[in-house]
Amino acid sequence: MELKEKKELIDQDGIRRALTRISHEIIEKNEGLDDIVVIGIRTRGVPLANRIAAKLQEIEGEEVKTGTLDITLYRDDLTTIANQPIVHQTKIPFDITDKKIILVDDVLYTGRTVRSALDALMDLGRPQNIQLAILIDRGHRELPIRADYVGKNLPTSKQEVISVDLEEVDGEDLVTLKEYVGKN
Amino acid sequence: MVWERRSLLGLEELSKDEIELILETAKSMKDVLARPIKKVPTLQGKLVVNLFYEPSTRTSSSFSLAAKRLSADSMGLSVKKSSVVKGESLLDTAKTLQALGADAVVIRHGIPGAAKLLAEEINIPVLNAGDGVHEHPTQALLDMYTIMEKRDKIAGQKIAIVGDIKHSRVARSNIWGLNKLGAEVRVIAPKTLLPVEVERLGVEVYTDLEEGVKDVDVINLLRIQRERQDKGFFPTIREYVKFYGLRKEHLELARDNVTLMHPGPINRGIEISAELADSNQAVIEEQVTNGVAVRMALLYLLIRGGSKDEKAIT
């Protein structure tokens, strides 16, 4: 089975605007930045978290702490995926207890990654609350999980794949829709 | 780097990349051990069986703790210490393990190659926790992890291994592993405690402690097995201490902040003076913690597998 590119969905400006809007929504909903920390899920949630934190800082003039969450040891699908993921370090250099966590990832799909991330965070402390910020919500949830902040809703079929490229990881900012073609 | 090996039998057969993947994974595992909740669910429902044909408290406890920290169940299968276990009975044991539903087996055995034999008989991962004088890969990996943590890197480090090299599986595994990662390894021991053609392992050989520790970054002291003395490998403990016991004055010859390691349990005042064992340069307790982290990494990699292909996961 081959993965073919179907079309470009969001370019660099589009990503920037979506993150700016999300940042404003975070400030509005929380009435400022008190106790707010931003934590990105590896891999592509991390640069997004850093960008949101920078934007929050720019808007409110307050420093916002960021962290990196690796959820490999909390996944429920390790036996079903062919290539097993390497375990990376979680880097959250502050106590999350009583904090309001903005949890960031690139794509929200089945919800299983977020479920793992919630378990991982709960083992690290007892936050006041956790809010979910997502660049792309592509539907097909398998768990009762929804995002608080969404960059763009993009309904997809299960044969399609949303590929998020970010400058920090992939060299450019681009969201593309791809599709598996050929035999299964 | 994709982890493809089913079992960990020794460091001689591992590649540099494989060793680095283990050490990298161990770093994340050590972070888990530093948290208030020192447990992750990744191996939930898995069973790890400890099969120790030689007495060992430290290694078997370390393996059980590692399994528990990953939410696996750990169970010891008691085997008679004295029984000379031949291929056939090991095979029977293997069948028992499979019937128990084990997902991995940790084996320590007095005969070199016992782990390999077991691995050939069963289709679950086998972890060698010491096979005779052959290899003790997890001890070497935790030593290497400790060196990496303390010295930032392994390549180019001058590492001295002191003591009974001849009977030491720890030394053998260390030498193979450290050489693959580019360290300069030397061994220091009386001639009677050096294996035949030890140079072929790729080490410099010293019989004089003072000469041997000159400019080294790490000194790894092996435990002296007192029972060896009866077999005439060295005249008296006192004489061994005089010539090969590490004392404060030796440190002046080594690098300023030399790291002192020992696989434990230490014989205070024999391999190392009490003063040095308690000094800041000694990292003996940290080695114990690192041992759990390294074994967690191995259990994870062997039972779950690992790879760097991340783009496929959403």
Side-chain angles (χ1 to χ4, degrees):
Chain A
M1 216 165 46
E2 201 188 340
L3 197 57
K4 269 207 160 162
E5 190 168 322
K6 267 177 102 177
K7 64 175 171 186
E8 293 184 3
L9 296 171
I10 311 175
D11 62 7
Q12 188 172 20
D13 286 338
I15 292 174
R16 182 175 47 77
R17 286 186 201 112
L19 295 179
T20 304
R21 179 175 48 75
I22 286 174
S23 302
H24 281 287
E25 285 175 6
I26 290 169
I27 295 164
E28 188 184 5
K29 183 172 172 183
N30 293 283
E31 297 172 353
L33 293 177
D34 290 350
D35 300 321
I36 294 276
V37 297
V38 186
I39 293 177
I41 301 174
R42 273 187 197 275
T43 302
R44 288 175 183 72
V46 177
L48 292 174
N50 291 336
R51 292 188 201 181
I52 289 173
K55 188 58 82 178
L56 293 173
Q57 240 161 278
E58 188 188 312
I59 300 166
E60 289 289 284
E62 282 176 53
E63 202 199 327
V64 181
K65 287 180 179 158
T66 58
T68 296
L69 189 67
D70 185 273
I71 54 135
T72 312
L73 297 172
Y74 290 84
R75 297 181 74 100
D76 63 0
D77 55 356
L78 284 177
T79 45
T80 54
I81 46 180
N83 269 338
Q84 313 293 8
I86 191 168
V87 184
H88 288 288
Q89 280 180 291
T90 286
K91 284 181 185 154
I92 302 179
F94 46 83
D95 186 1
I96 61 166
T97 299
D98 294 332
K99 293 282 187 285
K100 297 176 185 170
I101 296 177
I102 309 296
L103 182 64
V104 184
D105 204 1
D106 54 351
V107 178
L108 181 58
Y109 180 35
T110 61
R112 288 176 192 271
T113 300
V114 174
R115 200 278 312 165
S116 307
L118 294 176
D119 281 352
L121 286 173
M122 291 306 179
D123 277 359
L124 295 175
R126 190 176 187 284
Q128 203 182 118
N129 62 49
I130 300 174
Q131 302 164 30
L132 180 61
I134 288 289
L135 184 61
I136 310 289
D137 184 345
R138 58 168 292 196
H140 303 289
R141 214 78 76 240
E142 293 169 5
L143 296 170
I145 282 170
R146 55 149 188 82
D148 299 271
Y149 313 99
V150 179
K152 203 168 176 72
N153 282 297
L154 291 170
T156 53
S157 82
K158 285 194 173 183
Q159 281 68 48
E160 290 169 327
V161 170
I162 298 279
S163 168
V164 175
D165 288 339
L166 295 172
E167 205 181 327
E168 296 89 329
V169 185
D170 311 287
E172 63 166 346
D173 278 1
L174 189 65
V175 179
T176 37
L177 183 68
K178 294 177 180 174
E179 190 175 24
Y180 280 111
V181 287
K183 278 181 187 167
N184 222 327
Chain B
M1 173 68 220
V2 181
W3 186 266
E4 283 171 341
R5 229 169 257 281
R6 198 181 62 204
S7 294
L8 176 82
L9 304 178
L11 293 196
E12 190 182 9
E13 63 181 24
L14 291 195
S15 68
K16 179 174 185 259
D17 285 351
E18 284 173 308
I19 294 173
E20 282 173 346
L21 177 62
I22 296 166
L23 299 180
E24 194 60 37
T25 308
K27 213 184 272 180
S28 307
M29 297 302 180
K30 193 167 182 191
D31 287 349
V32 171
L33 295 175
R35 293 179 192 163
I37 296 174
K38 301 171 181 58
K39 199 178 177 98
V40 288
T42 188
L43 295 187
Q44 213 162 40
K46 303 288 178 186
L47 174 64
V48 179
V49 177
N50 279 353
L51 192 60
F52 278 65
Y53 289 87
E54 277 184 349
S56 150
T57 342
R58 293 177 163 241
T59 308
S60 71
S61 324
S62 180
F63 265 111
S64 323
L65 187 58
K68 287 171 186 171
R69 294 300 194 209
L70 296 171
S71 300
D73 294 314
S74 164
M75 189 181 78
L77 196 71
S78 72
V79 276
K80 270 185 221 148
K81 284 180 216 165
S82 58
S83 69
V84 178
V85 184
K86 293 174 189 162
E88 203 173 9
S89 59
L90 201 58
L91 183 63
D92 281 339
T93 312
K95 284 180 189 158
T96 311
L97 293 172
Q98 281 188 323
L100 287 169
D103 295 285
V105 189
V106 180
I107 180 174
R108 167 166 293 186
H109 200 291
I111 299 173
K116 187 163 186 271
L117 182 67
L118 185 65
E120 282 162 3
E121 295 300 338
I122 54 181
N123 53 18
I124 53 173
V126 172
L127 291 95
N128 183 4
D131 59 336
V133 296
H134 179 224
E135 283 227 41
H136 190 352
T138 60
Q139 178 67 46
L141 286 164
L142 79 88
D143 289 343
M144 292 164 76
Y145 182 88
T146 308
I147 293 168
M148 205 162 74
E149 203 177 63
K150 291 289 151 193
R151 320 289 313 181
D152 275 347
K153 57 180 175 146
I154 290 175
Q157 297 285 307
K158 288 193 171 68
I159 294 157
I161 305 174
V162 187
D164 186 354
I165 311 295
K166 189 183 178 83
H167 302 98
S168 176
R169 51 195 176 205
V170 175
R172 243 168 282 266
S173 290
N174 258 292
I175 292 166
W176 275 313
L178 287 167
N179 273 336
K180 282 180 186 173
L181 267 65
E184 293 174 32
V185 189
R186 49 178 81 179
V187 295
I188 309 171
K191 280 208 176 90
T192 51
L193 292 179
L194 285 169
V196 187
E197 296 194 344
V198 60
E199 300 84 0
R200 288 178 64 178
L201 291 170
V203 292
E204 284 177 54
V205 183
Y206 292 85
T207 50
D208 184 287
L209 181 61
E210 283 175 24
E211 243 177 75
V213 298
K214 209 165 278 174
D215 297 327
V216 296
D217 300 283
V218 177
I219 303 175
N220 197 351
L221 299 151
L222 301 174
R223 182 181 158 78
I224 278 296
Q225 315 264 312
R226 290 172 193 238
E227 61 271 21
R228 304 260 186 254
Q229 198 204 325
D230 308 334
K231 293 182 184 161
F233 289 103
F234 53 94
T236 61
I237 292 278
R238 209 203 308 185
E239 191 174 319
Y240 182 85
V241 174
K242 188 179 169 204
F243 290 107
Y244 295 97
L246 195 74
R247 291 178 298 275
K248 205 177 172 188
E249 61 260 33
H250 296 120
L251 296 201
E252 284 158 27
L253 302 163
R255 285 272 161 82
D256 275 350
N257 55 348
V258 59
T259 303
L260 304 178
M261 311 207 305
H262 190 297
I266 64 169
N267 294 308
R268 256 167 204 275
I270 298 182
E271 303 100 7
I272 182 169
S273 70
E275 184 189 19
L276 287 188
D278 297 325
S279 70
N280 288 333
Q281 274 149 294
V283 295
I284 301 166
E285 285 87 32
E286 283 171 71
Q287 285 175 267
V288 176
T289 314
N290 293 343
V292 179
V294 162
R295 291 175 180 118
M296 285 168 76
L298 287 164
L299 287 171
Y300 171 80
L301 289 171
L302 292 174
I303 298 176
R304 286 295 201 202
S307 107
K308 283 180 181 165
D309 182 14
E310 289 165 85
K311 186 83 187 179
I313 308 150
T314 301

